[in-house]
Amino acid sequence: MVSASGIDTVAIVGGGFMGTGIAEAVALTGLHVVVRDVDDASIERARARIESSLAESVRGAKLDGAVADDVRARIELTTELDAIAGADLVIEAVPEQ
């Protein structure tokens, strides 16, 4: 399904606090999201942040559990640069150090 804007997939480069927050917000709108980071450890931290945020939203009754599951299913986490090649929109959210 393509959205009215023509954007179906959003890639986010950087899975830090800002990147995961953007990923969650975009996935909540119904779009597929690919979060790309440099290594498996960074991907696991990103996954943990998203899981924690979704769980907190469900506990606080901001999201229904089924909606949180849908959001989770729309977010792909990867270290592969090729995985973002087909994105309609790329957002750079690499943490500055």
Side-chain angles (χ1 to χ4, degrees), residues 17-79:
F17 289 104
M18 188 167 61
T20 55
I22 294 168
E24 190 177 331
V26 170
L28 190 56
T29 72
L31 298 178
H32 178 246
V33 180
V34 180
V35 177
R36 194 271 177 179
D37 217 319
V38 294
D39 56 35
D40 290 337
S42 297
I43 290 296
E44 288 311 311
R45 285 190 298 273
R47 185 182 321 281
R49 272 192 288 280
I50 292 167
E51 288 295 331
S52 175
S53 177
L54 290 172
E56 185 176 324
S57 293
V58 170
R59 276 193 306 276
K62 293 178 183 175
L63 281 182
D64 178 82
V67 172
D69 290 342
D70 289 344
V71 168
R72 191 178 293 108
R74 288 186 199 107
I75 300 173
E76 176 186 346
L77 298 150
T78 185
T79 59

Side-chain angles (χ1 to χ4, degrees), residues 3 5-13 19 22-27 29-36 74-76 83-92:
S3 70
S5 67
I7 296 173
D8 181 45
T9 300
V10 176
I12 301 169
V13 180
I22 294 168
E24 190 177 331
V26 170
T29 72
L31 298 178
H32 178 246
V33 180
V34 180
V35 177
R36 194 271 177 179
R74 288 186 199 107
I75 300 173
E76 176 186 346
I84 67 170
D88 302 303
L89 175 67
V90 178
I91 299 170
E92 182 273 324

